[in-house]
Amino acid sequence: MHLKLVKSWVGPGGGMDGVRDITNAVIDLLAFPFVAVQNAPGLPSATASVNSGILLNMGSPGVKVGMEDRDMVKVIEEDLGKYIKILLEVGVPGIILWCLEHLELKDLGRPVAFLAKMIGHRPLAVQLVGKGLLDPTRMKRLLDRSSPREVMLDVLMIVSDLARMDKGFYEYINRASLLEFFKGFLTHEDPSVRSKACSALGNMCRHSSYFYSSLARNQIIGLLIDRCSDPDKRTRKFACFAIGNAAYHNDVLYEELRRSIPLLANLLLSSEEDKTKANAAGALSNLVRNSNKLCEDIVSKGALQSLLKLVAECSVVAVNSELFPVIGRLRQSPESTIANYASVIINKVADS
C-alpha cells in the first residue's frame, strides 16, 4: 500500500524513482547481516558465495564490518537463525517478490541481489520458491535480453544454488521453462554468464538424471561441450563439471557426449588449474561408469593415455613436493586418524 501511494505521489521522492529508492533503502537494511557474514574471512559462513547478490556488497557497511569487526560478525552469526526466522514470520521473501512487480526492469538489481543472498539459506529458499520465485512469467521477465547484467547473473546463481541444495527444487526449475534461455547463456559474449550457465547446468544434473532428456531435446549438450574449449578458464572448469554430472547417473547422453572426449583429454595435459583437470578426469571416468559405449573412444582419442600421464606427473610432484616431508612427520601424529591417512598417502606414493 505504501509503495502504491509513493508511486502516485507527484512531489519530491514520489513516482517510480521514489518506489525504487525506498525499496533499495529497505533492502540495504535487511541485507546487512547477510553481507557482513558473507564477507567475513575465515568463518564457516564465508563459504557462501560472495559473488551472489554482489550488487549489495558495493558500498555496503556490511562489507567493512565483515572484514574488520570479527566480534560483531560473531554476534550476527549467532543470531542469524533468529533473524531468518523473523524474516519468514513476517513474509519478507514474498514481499520482495511482490516489489519486483512494482519496479522497472532497470531497477531490479538490488531486489534480485537480495533474493540471491537469501537463497543460500534453505528455509528462505523454500518460502521463496513457494511464493512463486520461479514463476515462468517472472523468470521470462528477469532473463529478458534487456535485463541488467547483474540481474541475469544473480538469477543464474539462484537457479544454480537451488539445484545444488536439493533435488526437490528440480520440478520447480523445470516448470520455469529455463532451458530455452540456456542456449543464449552458453554462447553469451560475457564470460561470467557462460560460466554461471555451465555451473547451473552441472547442478541441475547433480542429484539425478531428471533433466537429461530435456537437455537433449533442447540441444544443450553440444553447446556445453563447446564450452570445454572456451577462452574463459572458469567456463572451461564448470563445463567439465556439467559434462561429468550429465554422464554420472546413466548412459542416456553418452552418444551426444562422445564428442567431449578429445576436448577433456586435451585439458588434462594443458596448463589448466587443478580443479579443471579434476573435473575433466571425473567427466571421463563417468563416461565409462554406466556402459561400455564410449570405451573404444576413450582409448582411441588419447584420453586413457592423458589420464595415465597426468597420474604419473602428479605422483612425481607429490614425491618432490615440499609437503611430502610434512606428510611424513604427520605419521607420528598422536591423532590416530591423521597418522593413518598420512601413512596411506606415503604408502600409495611408494607403490606408484
Side-chain angles (χ1 to χ4, degrees), residues 204-252:
M204 286 163 65
C205 297
R206 183 187 185 98
H207 301 289
S208 74
S209 61
Y210 184 99
F211 284 104
Y212 281 14
S213 57
S214 299
L215 292 176
R217 193 165 54 250
N218 285 275
Q219 300 173 314
I220 299 291
I221 297 298
L223 296 174
L224 195 56
I225 292 170
D226 293 339
R227 299 284 63 78
C228 288
S229 53
D230 194 277
D232 175 62
K233 65 178 183 179
R234 282 177 58 81
T235 301
R236 295 194 297 272
K237 177 171 71 177
F238 287 118
C240 294
F241 162 69
I243 286 171
N245 282 355
Y248 182 80
H249 300 286
N250 59 45
D251 65 354
V252 165

Side-chain angles (χ1 to χ4, degrees), residues 163-174:
R164 181 175 63 242
M165 189 181 291
D166 197 310
K167 64 180 179 182
F169 291 125
Y170 279 5
E171 187 181 339
Y172 295 92
I173 293 170
N174 186 41

Side-chain angles (χ1 to χ4, degrees), residues 11 51 56 64-65 91 98 133 143-144 178 187 190 192-193 205 212 226 231 276 305 309 314 345 350:
N51 290 325
L56 285 173
K64 187 176 172 65
V65 168
W98 183 86
L133 169 64
L143 296 173
D144 186 86
L178 295 174
T187 55
D190 188 331
S192 293
V193 173
C205 297
Y212 281 14
D226 293 339
T276 305
Q305 295 88 325
K309 189 172 181 183
C314 287
I345 292 170

Side-chain angles (χ1 to χ4, degrees), residues 14-251:
M16 291 303 294
D17 287 349
V19 173
R20 176 199 62 216
D21 292 345
I22 196 166
T23 301
N24 287 347
V26 173
I27 283 172
D28 281 340
L29 177 67
L30 293 175
F32 175 88
F34 298 108
V35 174
V37 168
Q38 282 192 1
N39 283 277
L43 286 170
S45 298
T47 55
S49 176
V50 192
N51 290 325
S52 66
I54 198 165
L55 196 64
L56 285 173
N57 296 355
M58 297 176 184
S60 168
V63 174
K64 187 176 172 65
V65 168
M67 296 177 76
E68 297 177 7
D69 193 338
R70 297 181 73 91
D71 291 337
M72 176 64 80
V73 170
K74 192 175 179 187
V75 171
I76 294 172
E77 271 225 310
E78 287 172 355
D79 283 340
L80 197 59
K82 292 180 190 173
Y83 180 62
I84 288 171
K85 191 177 178 186
I86 293 167
L87 293 181
L88 291 167
E89 284 175 358
V90 297
V92 165
I95 292 169
I96 300 301
L97 288 177
W98 183 86
C99 285
L100 299 183
E101 309 305 316
H102 293 266
L103 290 164
E104 294 178 283
L105 193 58
K106 66 181 177 63
D107 296 329
L108 292 180
R110 295 185 97 72
V112 172
F114 187 35
L115 295 175
K117 294 287 187 196
M118 288 194 286
I119 213 75
H121 302 270
R122 184 183 288 267
L124 291 168
V126 169
Q127 191 167 108
L128 278 167
V129 172
K131 293 289 184 181
L133 169 64
L134 295 174
D135 175 77
T137 306
R138 175 174 287 123
M139 286 290 112
K140 192 169 184 178
R141 183 186 180 216
L142 294 177
L143 296 173
D144 186 86
R145 285 183 179 276
S146 57
S147 185
R149 172 183 180 270
E150 60 269 16
V151 169
M152 196 178 293
L153 290 174
D154 275 336
V155 172
L156 280 170
M157 290 286 285
I158 286 167
V159 172
S160 187
D161 286 349
L162 284 173
R164 181 175 63 242
M165 189 181 291
D166 197 310
K167 64 180 179 182
F169 291 125
Y170 279 5
E171 187 181 339
Y172 295 92
I173 293 170
N174 186 41
R175 280 191 224 151
S177 303
L178 295 174
L179 287 180
E180 61 187 84
F181 295 103
F182 272 91
K183 287 183 183 178
F185 296 151
L186 290 170
T187 55
H188 200 277
E189 60 189 25
D190 188 331
S192 293
V193 173
R194 298 198 301 273
S195 67
K196 284 181 169 52
C198 290
S199 177
L201 288 169
N203 284 317
M204 286 163 65
C205 297
R206 183 187 185 98
H207 301 289
S208 74
S209 61
Y210 184 99
F211 284 104
Y212 281 14
S213 57
S214 299
L215 292 176
R217 193 165 54 250
N218 285 275
Q219 300 173 314
I220 299 291
I221 297 298
L223 296 174
L224 195 56
I225 292 170
D226 293 339
R227 299 284 63 78
C228 288
S229 53
D230 194 277
D232 175 62
K233 65 178 183 179
R234 282 177 58 81
T235 301
R236 295 194 297 272
K237 177 171 71 177
F238 287 118
C240 294
F241 162 69
I243 286 171
N245 282 355
Y248 182 80
H249 300 286
N250 59 45
D251 65 354

Side-chain angles (χ1 to χ4, degrees), residues 233-275:
K233 65 178 183 179
R234 282 177 58 81
T235 301
R236 295 194 297 272
K237 177 171 71 177
F238 287 118
C240 294
F241 162 69
I243 286 171
N245 282 355
Y248 182 80
H249 300 286
N250 59 45
D251 65 354
V252 165
L253 295 174
Y254 273 21
E255 280 304 326
E256 277 205 75
L257 291 169
R258 185 186 294 273
R259 186 168 64 84
S260 70
I261 293 171
L263 299 177
L264 294 168
N266 287 340
L267 289 172
L268 294 178
L269 302 181
S270 60
S271 56
E272 294 288 336
E273 56 183 70
D274 289 346
K275 185 60 179 173

